[in-house]
Coordinates of all heavy atoms in Angstrom, one line a residue:
M1 N 9.5 2.7 18.6 CA 9.5 3.4 17.3 C 9.3 2.3 16.2 O 10.0 1.3 16.2 CB 10.8 4.1 17.1 CG 10.9 4.8 15.8 SD 12.4 5.8 15.8 CE 12.5 6.2 14.1
I2 N 8.4 2.6 15.3 CA 8.2 1.7 14.2 C 9.1 2.1 13.0 O 9.2 3.3 12.7 CB 6.7 1.8 13.7 CG1 5.8 1.4 14.8 CG2 6.5 1.0 12.5 CD1 4.3 1.6 14.5
K3 N 9.7 1.1 12.4 CA 10.6 1.4 11.3 C 10.0 0.9 10.0 O 9.2 0.0 10.0 CB 12.0 0.7 11.5 CG 12.8 1.2 12.7 CD 14.1 0.6 12.7 CE 14.9 1.3 13.8 NZ 16.3 0.8 13.8
S4 N 10.3 1.6 9.0 CA 9.8 1.2 7.6 C 10.4 -0.2 7.2 O 11.5 -0.5 7.6 CB 10.2 2.2 6.6 OG 9.9 1.8 5.3
I5 N 9.6 -0.9 6.4 CA 10.1 -2.2 5.9 C 11.2 -2.0 4.8 O 11.8 -2.9 4.4 CB 9.0 -3.1 5.4 CG1 8.2 -2.5 4.3 CG2 8.1 -3.5 6.6 CD1 7.3 -3.4 3.6
V6 N 11.3 -0.7 4.4 CA 12.2 -0.4 3.3 C 13.3 0.4 3.9 O 13.1 1.4 4.5 CB 11.5 0.5 2.2 CG1 12.4 0.9 1.1 CG2 10.3 -0.3 1.6
P7 N 14.6 0.0 3.7 CA 15.7 0.8 4.2 C 15.6 2.2 3.6 O 15.3 2.4 2.4 CB 16.9 0.1 3.6 CG 16.4 -1.3 3.3 CD 15.0 -1.2 2.9
I8 N 16.0 3.2 4.4 CA 15.9 4.6 4.0 C 16.7 4.9 2.7 O 16.2 5.6 1.9 CB 16.5 5.5 5.2 CG1 15.6 5.4 6.4 CG2 16.6 7.0 4.7 CD1 14.2 5.8 6.3
D9 N 17.9 4.3 2.6 CA 18.7 4.5 1.4 C 18.1 4.0 0.1 O 18.5 4.3 -1.0 CB 20.1 4.0 1.6 CG 20.2 2.5 1.8 OD1 19.2 1.9 2.2 OD2 21.3 2.0 1.6
T10 N 17.0 3.1 0.2 CA 16.4 2.6 -1.0 C 15.0 3.2 -1.2 O 14.3 2.8 -2.1 CB 16.3 1.1 -1.0 OG1 15.5 0.7 0.1 CG2 17.7 0.5 -1.0
M11 N 14.5 4.1 -0.3 CA 13.2 4.6 -0.4 C 12.9 5.3 -1.7 O 11.7 5.2 -2.2 CB 12.9 5.6 0.7 CG 12.6 4.9 2.1 SD 11.1 4.1 2.1 CE 10.0 5.5 2.6
Q12 N 13.8 5.9 -2.4 CA 13.5 6.6 -3.6 C 12.9 5.7 -4.6 O 11.8 6.0 -5.1 CB 14.8 7.2 -4.2 CG 14.6 8.1 -5.4 CD 13.9 9.4 -5.0 OE1 13.9 9.8 -3.9 NE2 13.4 10.0 -6.1
G13 N 13.4 4.6 -4.9 CA 12.9 3.7 -5.9 C 11.7 2.9 -5.4 O 10.7 2.7 -6.0
D14 N 11.8 2.4 -4.2 CA 10.7 1.6 -3.6 C 9.5 2.4 -3.1 O 8.5 1.9 -2.9 CB 11.3 0.8 -2.4 CG 12.3 -0.3 -2.9 OD1 12.2 -0.7 -4.1 OD2 13.1 -0.7 -2.1
N15 N 9.7 3.7 -3.0 CA 8.6 4.5 -2.5 C 7.4 4.5 -3.5 O 6.3 4.7 -3.1 CB 9.1 6.0 -2.3 CG 8.1 6.8 -1.5 OD1 7.4 6.3 -0.7 ND2 8.1 8.1 -1.8
M16 N 7.7 4.1 -4.8 CA 6.7 4.0 -5.8 C 5.7 2.9 -5.4 O 4.5 3.0 -5.6 CB 7.3 3.7 -7.1 CG 6.3 3.5 -8.3 SD 5.3 4.9 -8.6 CE 6.5 5.9 -9.4
Y17 N 6.2 1.9 -4.7 CA 5.3 0.8 -4.3 C 4.2 1.3 -3.4 O 3.0 1.0 -3.6 CB 6.2 -0.2 -3.6 CG 5.5 -1.3 -2.8 CD1 4.9 -2.4 -3.4 CD2 5.4 -1.2 -1.4 CE1 4.3 -3.4 -2.7 CE2 4.7 -2.2 -0.7 CZ 4.2 -3.3 -1.3 OH 3.6 -4.3 -0.6
F18 N 4.6 2.1 -2.4 CA 3.6 2.6 -1.5 C 2.7 3.7 -2.1 O 1.5 3.7 -1.8 CB 4.3 3.2 -0.3 CG 5.3 2.2 0.3 CD1 6.6 2.5 0.3 CD2 4.8 1.0 0.9 CE1 7.5 1.6 0.9 CE2 5.7 0.1 1.4 CZ 7.1 0.4 1.4
K19 N 3.2 4.5 -3.0 CA 2.4 5.4 -3.8 C 1.4 4.7 -4.6 O 0.2 5.2 -4.7 CB 3.3 6.3 -4.6 CG 2.5 7.4 -5.4 CD 3.5 8.3 -6.1 CE 2.8 9.4 -7.0 NZ 1.4 9.3 -7.2
R20 N 1.7 3.6 -5.2 CA 0.8 2.9 -6.0 C -0.4 2.4 -5.2 O -1.5 2.4 -5.6 CB 1.4 1.7 -6.7 CG 2.5 2.0 -7.7 CD 1.9 2.3 -9.0 NE 3.0 2.5 -9.9 CZ 2.8 2.7 -11.2 NH1 1.6 2.6 -11.7 NH2 3.8 3.0 -12.0
L21 N -0.2 2.0 -4.0 CA -1.3 1.5 -3.1 C -2.2 2.7 -2.8 O -3.4 2.5 -2.9 CB -0.7 1.0 -1.8 CG 0.1 -0.2 -1.8 CD1 0.6 -0.6 -0.4 CD2 -0.6 -1.4 -2.4
R22 N -1.7 3.8 -2.5 CA -2.5 5.0 -2.3 C -3.3 5.4 -3.6 O -4.4 5.7 -3.6 CB -1.7 6.1 -1.8 CG -2.5 7.3 -1.4 CD -1.7 8.4 -0.8 NE -2.6 9.5 -0.5 CZ -2.2 10.6 0.2 NH1 -1.0 10.6 0.7 NH2 -3.0 11.6 0.4
D23 N -2.5 5.4 -4.7 CA -3.1 5.7 -6.0 C -4.3 4.8 -6.3 O -5.4 5.2 -6.8 CB -2.1 5.7 -7.1 CG -1.1 6.8 -7.1 OD1 -1.4 7.8 -6.3 OD2 -0.1 6.7 -7.8
L24 N -4.1 3.5 -6.1 CA -5.2 2.5 -6.4 C -6.4 2.9 -5.5 O -7.6 2.9 -6.1 CB -4.8 1.1 -6.0 CG -3.9 0.4 -7.0 CD1 -3.3 -0.9 -6.4 CD2 -4.6 0.1 -8.3
R25 N -6.2 3.2 -4.3 CA -7.3 3.5 -3.4 C -8.0 4.8 -3.9 O -9.3 4.9 -4.0 CB -6.8 3.7 -2.0 CG -7.9 4.1 -1.0 CD -7.4 4.2 0.4 NE -6.2 5.0 0.6 CZ -6.3 6.4 0.8 NH1 -7.5 7.0 0.8 NH2 -5.2 7.1 1.0
E26 N -7.2 5.8 -4.1 CA -7.8 7.1 -4.5 C -8.4 7.1 -5.9 O -9.4 7.8 -6.1 CB -6.7 8.2 -4.5 CG -6.3 8.5 -3.1 CD -5.2 9.5 -3.0 OE1 -4.5 9.8 -4.0 OE2 -4.9 10.0 -1.9
D27 N -7.9 6.2 -6.8 CA -8.5 6.1 -8.1 C -10.0 5.5 -8.0 O -10.8 5.8 -8.9 CB -7.7 5.1 -9.0 CG -6.4 5.7 -9.5 OD1 -6.3 7.0 -9.4 OD2 -5.6 5.0 -10.1
H28 N -10.2 4.8 -6.9 CA -11.6 4.3 -6.7 C -12.4 5.1 -5.7 O -13.4 4.7 -5.2 CB -11.5 2.8 -6.3 CG -11.0 1.9 -7.4 ND1 -9.7 1.7 -7.6 CD2 -11.7 1.2 -8.3 CE1 -9.6 0.9 -8.7 NE2 -10.8 0.6 -9.1
D29 N -11.9 6.3 -5.4 CA -12.5 7.3 -4.5 C -12.9 6.6 -3.2 O -14.0 6.7 -2.7 CB -13.8 7.9 -5.1 CG -13.4 8.7 -6.4 OD1 -12.4 9.4 -6.4 OD2 -14.2 8.6 -7.4
M30 N -11.9 5.9 -2.6 CA -12.2 5.1 -1.4 C -11.3 5.7 -0.3 O -10.2 6.2 -0.5 CB -11.9 3.6 -1.6 CG -12.8 3.0 -2.6 SD -12.4 1.2 -2.7 CE -13.1 0.6 -1.2
K31 N -11.8 5.6 1.0 CA -11.1 5.9 2.2 C -10.3 4.7 2.6 O -10.7 3.5 2.2 CB -12.1 6.3 3.3 CG -12.9 7.6 3.0 CD -13.8 7.8 4.1 CE -14.7 9.0 3.7 NZ -15.7 9.3 4.7
Q32 N -9.3 4.9 3.4 CA -8.6 3.8 4.0 C -9.5 2.8 4.7 O -9.3 1.6 4.6 CB -7.4 4.2 4.9 CG -6.3 4.8 4.2 CD -5.2 5.2 5.2 OE1 -5.3 5.1 6.4 NE2 -4.0 5.5 4.6
S33 N -10.4 3.3 5.4 CA -11.3 2.5 6.2 C -12.2 1.6 5.3 O -12.5 0.4 5.6 CB -12.2 3.3 7.1 OG -13.0 4.2 6.4
E34 N -12.5 2.1 4.1 CA -13.3 1.3 3.2 C -12.5 0.2 2.6 O -13.0 -0.9 2.4 CB -13.9 2.2 2.1 CG -14.9 3.2 2.6 CD -15.3 4.3 1.5 OE1 -14.4 4.8 0.8 OE2 -16.5 4.6 1.5
V35 N -11.3 0.5 2.2 CA -10.4 -0.6 1.7 C -10.2 -1.6 2.7 O -10.2 -2.8 2.5 CB -9.1 0.0 1.2 CG1 -8.1 -1.1 0.7 CG2 -9.3 1.0 0.0
A36 N -9.9 -1.2 3.9 CA -9.6 -2.1 5.0 C -10.8 -3.0 5.3 O -10.7 -4.2 5.5 CB -9.3 -1.3 6.3
E37 N -12.0 -2.5 5.3 CA -13.2 -3.3 5.4 C -13.4 -4.3 4.3 O -13.6 -5.5 4.6 CB -14.5 -2.4 5.5 CG -15.8 -3.2 5.7 CD -17.0 -2.3 5.8 OE1 -16.8 -1.0 6.0 OE2 -18.1 -2.8 5.6
Y38 N -13.1 -3.9 3.1 CA -13.1 -4.8 1.9 C -12.2 -5.9 2.1 O -12.4 -7.1 1.8 CB -12.9 -4.0 0.7 CG -12.8 -4.9 -0.6 CD1 -14.0 -5.3 -1.2 CD2 -11.6 -5.3 -1.1 CE1 -14.0 -6.1 -2.3 CE2 -11.6 -6.1 -2.3 CZ -12.7 -6.5 -2.9 OH -12.7 -7.3 -4.0
L39 N -11.0 -5.6 2.6 CA -9.9 -6.6 2.8 C -10.1 -7.5 4.1 O -9.4 -8.5 4.3 CB -8.5 -6.0 2.8 CG -8.1 -5.2 1.5 CD1 -6.8 -4.5 1.8 CD2 -8.0 -6.2 0.4
G40 N -11.0 -7.0 4.9 CA -11.2 -7.7 6.2 C -10.1 -7.5 7.2 O -9.8 -8.4 8.0
I41 N -9.6 -6.3 7.2 CA -8.5 -5.9 8.1 C -8.9 -4.6 8.8 O -9.8 -3.9 8.4 CB -7.1 -5.8 7.5 CG1 -7.2 -4.7 6.3 CG2 -6.7 -7.1 6.9 CD1 -5.8 -4.4 5.7
Q42 N -8.1 -4.2 9.8 CA -8.4 -2.9 10.5 C -7.8 -1.8 9.6 O -6.8 -2.0 8.9 CB -7.8 -2.9 11.9 CG -8.4 -3.9 12.8 CD -7.7 -3.8 14.2 OE1 -6.6 -3.2 14.3 NE2 -8.3 -4.5 15.1
Q43 N -8.4 -0.6 9.8 CA -7.9 0.6 9.0 C -6.4 0.9 9.4 O -5.6 1.2 8.5 CB -8.8 1.8 9.3 CG -8.3 3.1 8.6 CD -7.3 3.9 9.3 OE1 -7.2 3.9 10.6 NE2 -6.4 4.5 8.6
T44 N -6.0 0.7 10.6 CA -4.7 1.0 11.0 C -3.7 0.0 10.3 O -2.6 0.5 10.0 CB -4.5 0.9 12.6 OG1 -5.0 -0.4 13.0 CG2 -5.3 2.0 13.3
V45 N -4.1 -1.2 10.1 CA -3.2 -2.1 9.4 C -3.1 -1.7 8.0 O -1.9 -1.6 7.4 CB -3.8 -3.6 9.5 CG1 -3.0 -4.5 8.6 CG2 -3.8 -4.1 10.9
Y46 N -4.2 -1.3 7.3 CA -4.1 -0.8 5.9 C -3.2 0.4 5.9 O -2.4 0.6 4.9 CB -5.4 -0.5 5.3 CG -5.3 -0.1 3.9 CD1 -5.0 -1.0 2.9 CD2 -5.3 1.3 3.6 CE1 -4.8 -0.5 1.6 CE2 -5.1 1.7 2.3 CZ -4.8 0.8 1.3 OH -4.6 1.2 0.1
S47 N -3.3 1.3 6.8 CA -2.5 2.5 6.8 C -1.0 2.2 6.9 O -0.2 2.8 6.2 CB -2.9 3.4 8.0 OG -2.1 4.5 8.1
R48 N -0.7 1.2 7.7 CA 0.7 0.7 7.7 C 1.2 0.2 6.4 O 2.3 0.4 6.0 CB 0.9 -0.3 8.8 CG 0.8 0.2 10.2 CD 1.1 -0.8 11.2 NE 0.2 -0.7 12.3 CZ -0.5 -1.6 12.9 NH1 -0.4 -2.8 12.5 NH2 -1.3 -1.3 13.9
Y49 N 0.3 -0.5 5.6 CA 0.7 -0.9 4.3 C 1.0 0.3 3.4 O 2.0 0.2 2.7 CB -0.5 -1.7 3.6 CG -0.9 -3.0 4.2 CD1 -2.1 -3.5 3.9 CD2 -0.1 -3.7 5.1 CE1 -2.6 -4.8 4.4 CE2 -0.5 -4.9 5.6 CZ -1.7 -5.5 5.2 OH -2.1 -6.7 5.7
E50 N 0.1 1.3 3.4 CA 0.4 2.4 2.5 C 1.6 3.2 2.9 O 2.3 3.8 2.0 CB -0.8 3.4 2.6 CG -1.9 3.1 1.6 CD -2.9 4.2 1.5 OE1 -2.7 5.3 1.9 OE2 -4.0 3.9 0.9
R51 N 2.0 3.2 4.2 CA 3.1 4.0 4.6 C 4.4 3.2 4.6 O 5.5 3.7 4.8 CB 2.9 4.5 6.0 CG 1.8 5.6 6.0 CD 1.5 6.2 7.4 NE 1.0 5.1 8.3 CZ 1.4 4.9 9.5 NH1 2.4 5.5 10.0 NH2 0.9 3.9 10.2
G52 N 4.3 1.9 4.3 CA 5.5 1.0 4.2 C 6.0 0.5 5.6 O 7.1 0.1 5.7
F53 N 5.1 0.6 6.6 CA 5.5 0.1 7.9 C 5.2 -1.4 8.1 O 5.5 -1.9 9.2 CB 4.9 0.9 9.0 CG 5.4 2.3 9.1 CD1 4.6 3.4 8.9 CD2 6.8 2.6 9.3 CE1 5.1 4.7 9.0 CE2 7.3 3.9 9.4 CZ 6.4 4.9 9.2
Q54 N 4.5 -2.0 7.2 CA 4.1 -3.4 7.3 C 4.0 -4.0 5.9 O 3.6 -3.3 5.0 CB 2.8 -3.5 8.0 CG 2.3 -4.9 8.3 CD 1.1 -4.9 9.3 OE1 0.9 -4.0 10.0 NE2 0.4 -6.0 9.2
S55 N 4.5 -5.2 5.8 CA 4.5 -5.9 4.5 C 3.0 -6.1 4.1 O 2.2 -6.4 5.0 CB 5.2 -7.2 4.5 OG 6.6 -7.0 4.8
I56 N 2.7 -6.0 2.9 CA 1.4 -6.3 2.4 C 1.3 -7.5 1.6 O 2.1 -7.8 0.7 CB 0.8 -5.1 1.6 CG1 -0.6 -5.3 1.2 CG2 1.7 -4.8 0.4 CD1 -1.3 -4.1 0.6
P57 N 0.3 -8.4 1.9 CA 0.1 -9.6 1.1 C -0.6 -9.1 -0.2 O -1.7 -8.7 -0.2 CB -0.8 -10.5 1.9 CG -1.4 -9.6 3.0 CD -0.6 -8.4 3.1
V58 N 0.2 -9.2 -1.3 CA -0.3 -8.6 -2.6 C -1.5 -9.3 -3.2 O -2.1 -8.8 -4.1 CB 0.8 -8.5 -3.6 CG1 1.9 -7.5 -3.2 CG2 1.5 -9.8 -3.9
E59 N -1.8 -10.5 -2.7 CA -3.0 -11.2 -3.2 C -4.3 -10.5 -2.9 O -5.3 -10.7 -3.5 CB -3.1 -12.6 -2.7 CG -3.2 -12.8 -1.2 CD -1.9 -12.9 -0.5 OE1 -0.8 -12.7 -1.1 OE2 -1.9 -13.2 0.7
H60 N -4.2 -9.4 -2.0 CA -5.4 -8.6 -1.7 C -5.8 -7.8 -2.9 O -7.0 -7.5 -3.1 CB -5.2 -7.7 -0.6 CG -5.2 -8.3 0.8 ND1 -6.1 -9.2 1.2 CD2 -4.4 -8.1 1.8 CE1 -5.9 -9.6 2.4 NE2 -4.8 -8.9 2.9
Y61 N -4.9 -7.5 -3.8 CA -5.2 -6.6 -4.9 C -5.4 -7.3 -6.2 O -4.8 -8.3 -6.5 CB -4.0 -5.6 -5.0 CG -4.0 -4.6 -3.9 CD1 -3.3 -4.9 -2.7 CD2 -4.7 -3.4 -3.9 CE1 -3.3 -4.1 -1.6 CE2 -4.8 -2.6 -2.9 CZ -4.1 -2.9 -1.7 OH -4.1 -2.0 -0.7
K62 N -6.3 -6.8 -6.9 CA -6.7 -7.4 -8.2 C -5.9 -6.7 -9.4 O -6.5 -6.3 -10.4 CB -8.2 -7.3 -8.4 CG -8.9 -8.2 -7.4 CD -10.4 -8.1 -7.6 CE -11.2 -9.1 -6.8 NZ -11.0 -9.1 -5.4
V63 N -4.7 -6.4 -9.1 CA -3.8 -5.9 -10.2 C -2.5 -6.7 -10.1 O -2.2 -7.4 -9.1 CB -3.5 -4.3 -10.0 CG1 -4.7 -3.5 -10.1 CG2 -2.8 -4.1 -8.6
S64 N -1.7 -6.5 -11.1 CA -0.4 -7.3 -11.1 C 0.6 -6.7 -10.1 O 0.5 -5.5 -9.8 CB 0.2 -7.2 -12.5 OG 0.7 -6.0 -12.8
T65 N 1.4 -7.5 -9.7 CA 2.5 -7.1 -8.8 C 3.4 -6.1 -9.5 O 4.0 -5.2 -9.0 CB 3.3 -8.2 -8.2 OG1 3.8 -9.1 -9.3 CG2 2.5 -9.0 -7.2
D66 N 3.6 -6.3 -10.9 CA 4.3 -5.3 -11.7 C 3.8 -3.9 -11.5 O 4.5 -3.0 -11.4 CB 4.4 -5.8 -13.1 CG 5.3 -6.9 -13.4 OD1 6.2 -7.2 -12.6 OD2 5.1 -7.6 -14.4
Y67 N 2.5 -3.8 -11.6 CA 1.8 -2.5 -11.4 C 2.2 -1.9 -10.1 O 2.6 -0.7 -9.9 CB 0.3 -2.5 -11.6 CG -0.3 -1.2 -11.4 CD1 -0.3 -0.2 -12.4 CD2 -0.9 -0.9 -10.2 CE1 -0.8 1.0 -12.1 CE2 -1.5 0.3 -9.9 CZ -1.4 1.3 -10.9 OH -2.0 2.5 -10.7
I68 N 2.0 -2.7 -9.0 CA 2.2 -2.2 -7.7 C 3.6 -1.7 -7.5 O 3.9 -0.7 -6.8 CB 1.8 -3.2 -6.6 CG1 0.3 -3.4 -6.6 CG2 2.3 -2.8 -5.2 CD1 -0.2 -4.5 -5.8
L69 N 4.6 -2.5 -8.1 CA 6.0 -2.2 -7.9 C 6.5 -1.1 -8.9 O 7.6 -0.8 -8.9 CB 6.8 -3.5 -8.1 CG 6.6 -4.5 -7.1 CD1 7.3 -5.8 -7.4 CD2 7.0 -4.1 -5.7
G70 N 5.6 -0.6 -9.8 CA 6.0 0.5 -10.7 C 6.7 0.0 -11.9 O 7.3 0.8 -12.6
R71 N 6.6 -1.2 -12.2 CA 7.2 -1.7 -13.4 C 6.3 -1.6 -14.6 O 5.1 -1.6 -14.5 CB 7.6 -3.2 -13.3 CG 8.6 -3.5 -12.2 CD 8.8 -5.0 -12.0 NE 9.7 -5.2 -10.9 CZ 9.7 -6.4 -10.3 NH1 9.0 -7.4 -10.6 NH2 10.6 -6.5 -9.2
K72 N 6.9 -1.4 -15.8 CA 6.1 -1.2 -17.0 C 5.6 -2.5 -17.5 O 6.2 -3.6 -17.3 CB 6.9 -0.5 -18.1 CG 7.4 0.8 -17.6 CD 6.3 1.8 -17.7 CE 6.9 3.2 -17.3 NZ 6.0 4.1 -16.9

């Protein structure tokens, strides 16, 4: 069984992190497979990033970490 990198009791606040990843992808009308190809990774790996099952190296994204983390 795969466990989330975020403890269940903190998912409420940290869930924004994963939503931002999906929002970034959808804002650009891209599929997970397209983002994965751009990043040079497998689609399954990218899917784990969006779902919070694997840590994501934030240097892949051309936005601030504050944005990804939901900070103003």
Side-chain angles (χ1 to χ4, degrees):
M1 179 176 167
I2 299 174
K3 293 188 176 184
S4 174
I5 61 171
V6 177
I8 298 299
D9 59 341
T10 62
M11 280 290 273
Q12 186 69 17
D14 292 337
N15 196 30
M16 178 62 72
Y17 169 79
F18 307 114
K19 182 177 178 344
R20 294 274 182 175
L21 295 178
R22 184 175 179 172
D23 288 346
L24 282 170
R25 176 176 58 82
E26 291 177 346
D27 286 350
H28 289 87
D29 299 319
M30 295 179 78
K31 298 177 184 176
Q32 285 185 348
S33 58
E34 294 170 318
V35 175
E37 182 178 340
Y38 177 80
L39 297 174
I41 59 175
Q42 295 178 350
Q43 180 274 329
T44 54
V45 173
Y46 181 77
S47 175
R48 287 185 220 132
Y49 292 164
E50 275 194 9
R51 293 181 294 132
F53 291 121
Q54 186 168 334
S55 297
I56 181 170
V58 293
E59 63 270 8
H60 283 315
Y61 289 89
K62 294 179 171 55
V63 296
S64 72
T65 53
D66 285 337
Y67 176 78
I68 291 173
L69 295 172
R71 298 177 183 158
K72 302 282 182 201

